[in-house]
Amino acid sequence: MPILTSQEYDISYFDGQKTTYQHNAGYSYYDRWYRIDGEKSLGEFWKDYTNKLKNIYDFQNKKVLEIGCAKGFIVEDLVDMGVDAYGLDISSYAISTAINSAILRRPDLITRFIVGDARIILSNYSTKQFDVIFTCRFLECIDDMDLIQLINEMNRISKKQIHIIDEQPNSDFYNVKTLKTWKNLNFTQGTIFISNENQQKVLIK
């Protein structure tokens, strides 16, 4: 099962149109996509997406860690909405983009982003340090041999977990599993898995 290396989450992964495109595991461009989504839209895809997450999963007054935060759009918007949010990503390119954006717009966001490999760096956090761990298309990027320890650490440092999963990603680059399979791994009670394809939800009871 091939999994991307940390070096492959570079400019070609997030912004393939800006450089030599290396593989089809990433995005042609990963940006703030402006669009109106209904009458109550905030005018931008990520703002609407983040607002729905905050309201549906009650992020208000919570300390939230997004693992695999990419360019930090969700973290930035959560902070703007009053949530104590932080972002972690293995990609120095993505985090540098997030920090450069913060320098221009809100310098106080800079300390909320960190470059790091979740398989290693989560051990630096204290037990139940976060009310919520949130991920979107992150778990599929982890090899099976690393999942057990990663899951144990996520269970340890969080009170609740929410994971949005691509059930049918490109099997040449990602760890393809169904929601049922993810549910049967050793995640703590109360963890929620959501299919990115059909929005189906599975809760560990």
Side-chain angles (χ1 to χ4, degrees):
M1 176 184 56
I3 293 292
L4 296 174
T5 66
S6 58
Q7 291 76 24
E8 288 179 291
Y9 293 101
D10 58 4
I11 186 172
S12 68
Y13 181 88
F14 290 99
D15 292 306
Q17 66 180 4
K18 297 180 181 178
T19 186
T20 302
Y21 196 57
Q22 295 181 3
H23 50 67
N24 64 348
Y27 303 85
S28 60
Y29 72 102
Y30 186 84
D31 209 344
R32 284 198 170 274
W33 301 308
Y34 292 93
R35 75 178 191 196
I36 302 298
D37 185 13
E39 292 182 2
K40 297 183 179 180
S41 174
L42 299 174
E44 183 188 298
F45 171 81
W46 288 112
K47 290 184 184 298
D48 288 341
Y49 187 88
T50 303
N51 194 44
K52 288 177 182 177
L53 286 173
K54 178 181 71 73
N55 293 334
I56 293 173
Y57 300 106
D58 190 26
F59 285 177
Q60 202 67 46
N61 300 318
K62 302 290 196 309
K63 187 173 184 178
V64 177
L65 174 65
E66 183 184 7
I67 303 177
C69 70
K71 294 183 181 180
F73 301 146
I74 292 175
V75 171
E76 184 175 349
D77 291 341
L78 282 174
V79 173
D80 283 346
M81 295 172 188
V83 179
D84 187 18
Y86 300 83
L88 167 67
D89 201 283
I90 200 170
S91 171
S92 57
Y93 171 76
I95 293 296
S96 66
T97 303
I99 290 175
N100 287 336
S101 173
I103 289 172
L104 295 174
R105 200 181 74 83
R106 281 193 55 176
D108 58 301
L109 291 172
I110 293 173
T111 57
R112 293 181 177 271
F113 296 110
I114 186 170
V115 178
D117 187 335
R119 296 169 296 183
I120 300 169
I121 203 169
L122 294 190
S123 62
N124 295 337
Y125 295 112
S126 60
T127 299
K128 305 305 178 190
Q129 182 168 342
F130 297 96
D131 295 301
V132 181
I133 280 178
F134 167 74
T135 75
C136 181
R137 299 172 173 172
F138 163 72
L139 293 177
E140 307 92 307
C141 299
I142 306 298
D143 192 277
D144 282 338
M145 63 182 291
D146 295 317
L147 275 173
I148 294 176
Q149 179 62 23
L150 176 66
I151 292 169
N152 287 340
E153 284 298 292
M154 289 192 294
N155 290 344
R156 181 183 67 81
I157 69 173
S158 68
K159 300 174 184 177
K160 182 178 181 178
Q161 297 176 53
I162 299 166
H163 301 286
I164 296 177
I165 302 293
D166 270 352
E167 294 186 274
Q168 300 174 345
N170 187 326
S171 60
D172 289 337
F173 302 106
Y174 300 109
N175 189 346
V176 182
K177 299 183 189 299
T178 64
L179 290 192
K180 182 178 180 181
T181 303
W182 286 111
K183 178 185 177 183
N184 289 334
L185 298 179
N186 192 37
F187 286 90
T188 191
Q189 183 179 10
T191 298
I192 299 171
F193 298 96
I194 305 147
S195 170
N196 196 51
E197 284 87 1
N198 58 28
Q199 305 306 305
Q200 179 185 354
K201 298 178 185 178
V202 172
L203 171 68
I204 296 180
K205 299 180 179 180

